[in-house]
Amino acid sequence: MNLFVLPAEKTATELFIPLFKSEKIIIEKIVSWGHKSPEGFWYDQEKDEWVTVLQGQARLSYANGRVINIGAGDFIFIPAGEKHRVDWTSEDPPCIWLAIHGHLK
């Protein structure tokens, strides 16, 4: 499998592709074509998340008002329970994320 290979056609919703899963960790590839979180929705995850953008760009917002723009090569750590949302993702090129979920601290 190649992290940069995309489906032949873009999908109506974000594409989540599991790459590895165990009791302690999940690694997934996410592809976003201009997708964003629904209005008023906040992720409030039970596990930590380390995420990097492999291609494209995105903007994340946090409940505390912090806003982060990330692009190819940038990575962030989101601790469990830190409310956040995706405000914007690039469409051309699509945003390809690599996310690792688990108790990472």
Side-chain angles (χ1 to χ4, degrees):
M1 178 179 272
N2 184 300
L3 292 172
F4 295 101
V5 171
L6 297 170
E9 296 183 26
K10 71 180 180 180
T11 58
T13 60
E14 280 185 304
L15 185 61
F16 293 85
I17 303 166
L19 303 176
F20 176 83
K21 186 174 184 176
S22 74
E23 289 181 23
K24 296 183 180 184
I25 197 166
I26 298 170
I27 301 174
E28 65 184 351
K29 172 183 166 180
I30 305 165
V31 183
S32 307
W33 287 272
H35 298 104
K36 61 183 180 177
S37 300
E39 197 63 40
F41 173 82
W42 294 94
Y43 287 100
D44 188 5
Q45 300 167 158
E46 293 180 11
K47 296 181 178 179
D48 301 321
E49 180 178 7
W50 181 92
V51 65
T52 185
V53 171
L54 301 174
Q55 172 183 286
Q57 300 176 342
R59 183 174 50 249
L60 302 178
S61 290
Y62 294 82
N64 66 7
R66 189 171 103 191
V67 176
I68 297 177
N69 291 303
I70 56 176
D74 295 332
F75 61 91
I76 57 171
F77 177 76
I78 305 169
E82 186 168 31
K83 290 184 180 180
H84 64 286
R85 56 179 280 112
V86 177
D87 286 333
W88 172 85
T89 60
S90 59
E91 191 167 347
D92 187 20
C95 187
I96 301 175
W97 314 74
L98 180 66
I100 301 172
H101 303 270
H103 298 289
L104 306 174
K105 291 183 194 175

